[in-house]
Amino acid sequence: MSAGKIDPMEQFHVEPVLGGHLSIAGYDVSFTNSALFMVVVGALLALFMWGGLRQRLVPGRWQLMAEGAVGFIENMTATNIGKKDGKKFAPYIFSIFFFILFANFVGVLPLAIVPGLHTFAVTSHITVTAVLAFLSFGIVLFVGLFRHGLKFFTLFVPHGAPLWLMPVIIPVELISFLVRPFSLGLRLFVAMTAGHILLEVFGSFVVQGFNAGGPLGWLVSLLSFVMIVGVSALELLVCAIQAYVFALLTSLYLHDAVHLH
């Protein structure tokens, strides 16, 4: 990064947090900032459930939040997969939804106001979102083949379609099915990356406006700060929406695997 310039992509750099790089058998196994924040997200999720699922005669706010979260996911899976089958997949949908939700919210925490602290948005890395997407897609494939065997491939043959259109319809259906994990991973990755870049860019405008001085510089800083507030509010909304969309689409894909059509 050049002197006096702010690199908006620097916030996405994966770096070791416990000293230098650690290599074993030629593989870099360093404990990075990405791994650290995934551990933080996992710990926060575990703490949320531990504190919320302690059964009390008079439920507290924490318990009500946890029970509400469980009920929300159970309702999603029951609606999109079915009451009987939905219960089987509710733990996975719950885990994937709240991991993404917590990771998104942790990624936008303003920790940088404390010297030496910098947050890291793990869902702004395609490697993380791709693993989540392909894990969901792998479960869909396993469930479909385990339940239906070769009949699972009738998913690519829409009911009522004329036979003469099958050479066109089947490849289209197959491609649309295979694109699902890529759309899942890319949607989350792009949304989170774009929001963080916008915040960094407007933040650099605020600093540069102050450094420039004069009425115009102060005006640029003020307008940029207003944009930061607006983008931050939008980013919080996107954090929740992206987690919901990921969980919702996963449950819909599981519905196809369970019921085929």
Side-chain angles (χ1 to χ4, degrees):
M1 182 172 65
S2 304
K5 292 185 178 180
I6 298 177
D7 182 7
M9 302 304 294
E10 186 179 15
Q11 59 184 313
F12 305 118
H13 291 176
V14 178
E15 300 172 343
V17 294
L18 300 177
H21 290 272
L22 175 64
S23 297
I24 298 179
Y27 294 94
D28 192 339
V29 293
S30 306
F31 188 72
T32 64
N33 50 355
S34 178
L36 172 63
F37 275 90
M38 280 191 274
V39 171
V40 169
V41 170
L44 289 175
L45 182 55
L47 178 63
F48 171 69
M49 294 308 302
W50 172 80
L53 295 182
R54 290 183 297 172
Q55 298 299 319
R56 294 180 177 179
L57 184 60
V58 180
R61 295 180 181 177
W62 203 339
Q63 183 177 336
L64 288 175
M65 285 192 300
E67 291 177 352
V70 173
F72 170 73
I73 296 300
E74 286 182 344
N75 181 64
M76 178 189 294
T77 54
T79 301
N80 297 304
I81 304 176
K83 288 186 177 181
K84 181 180 178 181
D85 295 301
K87 290 183 178 179
K88 300 176 183 177
F89 300 107
Y92 175 71
I93 300 298
F94 180 92
S95 301
I96 203 77
F97 173 79
F98 280 97
F99 176 82
I100 294 174
L101 183 67
F102 279 40
N104 289 349
F105 281 140
V106 168
V108 297
L109 289 176
L111 298 182
I113 61 176
V114 180
L117 290 181
H118 297 280
T119 190
F120 188 88
V122 297
T123 47
S124 63
H125 275 252
I126 187 62
T127 50
V128 175
T129 61
V131 168
L132 296 176
F134 279 101
L135 176 61
S136 297
F137 187 70
I139 292 174
V140 169
L141 284 177
F142 176 80
V143 170
L145 291 172
F146 180 80
R147 281 210 169 196
H148 306 288
L150 295 179
K151 188 180 177 182
F152 173 70
F153 295 103
T154 61
L155 181 66
F156 311 126
V157 183
H159 285 305
L163 290 177
W164 63 272
L165 275 179
M166 289 303 169
V168 176
I169 293 177
I170 292 177
V172 170
E173 291 288 333
L174 177 61
I175 292 173
S176 66
F177 180 79
L178 295 177
V179 165
R180 288 179 175 182
F182 298 98
S183 64
L184 270 180
L186 283 173
R187 182 184 294 106
L188 178 58
F189 157 70
V190 170
M192 299 311 301
T193 302
H196 283 74
I197 290 176
L198 279 176
L199 289 174
E200 187 79 12
V201 169
F202 285 120
S204 70
F205 287 167
V206 172
V207 174
Q208 292 173 6
F210 277 125
N211 292 336
L216 182 59
W218 284 92
L219 178 61
V220 170
S221 296
L222 177 61
L223 293 177
S224 299
F225 180 77
V226 171
M227 290 299 299
I228 288 177
V229 174
V231 172
S232 297
L234 180 62
E235 187 75 353
L236 291 174
L237 182 62
V238 169
C239 287
I241 290 176
Q242 288 302 318
Y244 176 76
V245 168
F246 198 103
L248 177 63
L249 289 178
T250 300
S251 63
L252 290 175
Y253 297 158
L254 284 168
H255 171 272
D256 291 343
V258 171
H259 303 288
L260 290 184
H261 291 288

